């Protein structure tokens, strides 16, 4: 069975503090990996993606993610969170012989002043 | 570049009715996918269209159908609406398979 797991349903972080969102996948081979962000009532915006190569990828808005093959993980990080980072974050994967994005259930990030 | 555009943004339908949602892909993209996002959940893949053909389908009943036009725009049709069809419907376009998908703002469908 294929699945994407985001263990944290909700994370609250203080403005200026660091943020890490977890994502694990269960596929036999390394899929293509993505992180999307969604503001309330809006569509999804791509933060970053990993296809191959350097396992630390940089994205927009100061986000980065690290692919760890041994842990089947693709965790998202930001060193210093801004109030505008409050949103829903989704990890998604595409298998190499597939076309569809499979999403995790999402993590809601709340930023407190 | 207008990005991916969807219409309408919101609509309300009655149980048993039929609905058509529309999507125009990002300029230069020829592949369109549709996703259903229920409240509090991640998007679920409905189907993908490429070269006017349904290339892949997710686990959705035949009440969900689609079409892609020669200009790559696409429609999602849902027949015999159920209350459970209430959701945000997202359209995504991409240039080639398995590259990054760009999403529209979605259509919020409410079935009453």
């Amino acid at each position: 069975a294929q699945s994407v797991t985001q263990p944290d349903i909700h994370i609250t972080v203080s403005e200026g503090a660091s943020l890490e969102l977890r994502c694990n996948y269960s596929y036999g081979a390394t899929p293509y990996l993505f992180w999307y962000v969604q503001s309330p009532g809006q569509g999804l915006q791509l933060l970053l993606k990993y296809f191959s190569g350097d396992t630390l990828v940089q994205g927009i808005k100061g986000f980065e993610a690290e692919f760890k093959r041994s842990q089947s993980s693709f965790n998202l990080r930001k060193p210093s969170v801004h109030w505008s980072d409050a949103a829903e974050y989704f990890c998604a994967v595409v298998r190499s012989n597939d076309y569809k994005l499979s999403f995790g259930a999402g993590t809601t990030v709340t930023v407190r002043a | 570049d207008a990005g991916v555009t969807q219409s309408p943004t919101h609509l309300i339908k009655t149980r048993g009715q039929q609905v058509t949602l529309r999507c125009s892909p990002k300029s230069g993209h020829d592949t369109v996918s549709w996703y259903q996002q229920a409240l509090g959940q991640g998007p679920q893949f409905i189907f993908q269209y490429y070269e006017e053909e349904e290339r892949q389908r997710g686990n959705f009943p035949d009440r969900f159908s689609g079409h892609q036009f020669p200009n790559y725009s696409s429609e999602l049709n849902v027949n015999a609406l159920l209350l459970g069809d209430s959701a945000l419907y997202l359209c995504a376009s991409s240039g080639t398979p398995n590259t990054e998908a760009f999403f529209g703002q979605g259509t919020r469908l409410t079935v009453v």
Side-chain angles (χ1 to χ4, degrees):
Chain A
Q2 49 192 319
S3 69
V4 181
T5 303
Q6 294 181 246
D8 304 304
I9 297 173
H10 192 184
I11 288 180
T12 298
V13 60
S14 298
E15 191 169 15
S18 64
L19 174 68
E20 181 168 14
L21 304 182
R22 295 181 291 165
C23 174
N24 294 92
Y25 63 90
S26 59
Y27 292 94
T30 300
Y32 301 134
L33 300 159
F34 306 83
W35 275 99
Y36 284 88
V37 61
Q38 185 178 38
S39 297
Q42 300 297 308
L44 300 169
Q45 182 182 23
L46 180 69
L47 288 175
L48 45 78
K49 61 185 183 288
Y50 174 78
F51 289 170
S52 64
D54 192 346
T55 57
L56 184 63
V57 295
Q58 302 297 320
I60 63 171
K61 304 185 178 185
F63 285 93
E64 66 177 26
E66 185 173 14
F67 168 60
K68 293 185 177 180
R69 185 188 308 275
S70 61
Q71 299 177 18
S72 297
S73 69
F74 188 56
N75 294 349
L76 181 72
R77 297 193 293 257
K78 185 168 184 176
S80 178
V81 168
H82 187 262
W83 64 266
S84 60
D85 293 322
E88 186 86 11
Y89 291 81
F90 292 96
C91 179
V93 307
V94 175
R95 291 187 302 173
S96 58
N97 60 348
D98 204 353
Y99 298 111
K100 68 176 186 287
L101 280 160
S102 296
F103 286 86
T107 298
T108 302
V109 173
T110 298
V111 180
R112 61 182 173 218
Chain B
D1 184 1
V4 181
T5 59
Q6 293 186 242
S7 63
T9 55
H10 297 81
L11 74 167
I12 300 174
K13 290 288 189 178
T14 303
R15 198 169 33 176
Q17 285 188 314
Q18 179 264 343
V19 68
T20 297
L21 311 182
R22 295 176 175 83
C23 173
S24 293
K26 183 177 170 66
S27 177
H29 286 183
D30 58 7
T31 301
V32 173
S33 303
W34 287 92
Y35 293 81
Q36 180 195 66
Q37 186 179 20
L39 200 60
Q41 298 183 23
Q44 298 293 315
F45 177 76
I46 303 174
F47 41 54
Q48 184 181 90
Y49 276 85
Y50 173 70
E51 293 187 343
E52 302 180 51
E53 297 280 336
E54 183 184 287
R55 178 158 63 182
Q56 186 175 4
R57 187 179 183 90
N59 188 27
F60 279 81
D62 291 344
R63 297 187 298 109
F64 290 77
S65 63
H67 188 77
Q68 186 178 35
F69 299 92
N71 66 352
Y72 308 123
S73 66
S74 177
E75 289 182 347
L76 164 65
N77 301 291
V78 187
N79 295 322
L81 284 166
L82 304 174
L83 296 179
D85 295 330
S86 296
L88 181 67
Y89 287 84
L90 296 164
C91 171
S93 73
S94 57
T96 55
N98 297 334
T99 57
E100 57 191 271
F102 289 81
F103 283 80
Q105 295 292 86
T107 294
R108 172 69 65 185
L109 171 65
T110 302
V111 182
V112 297

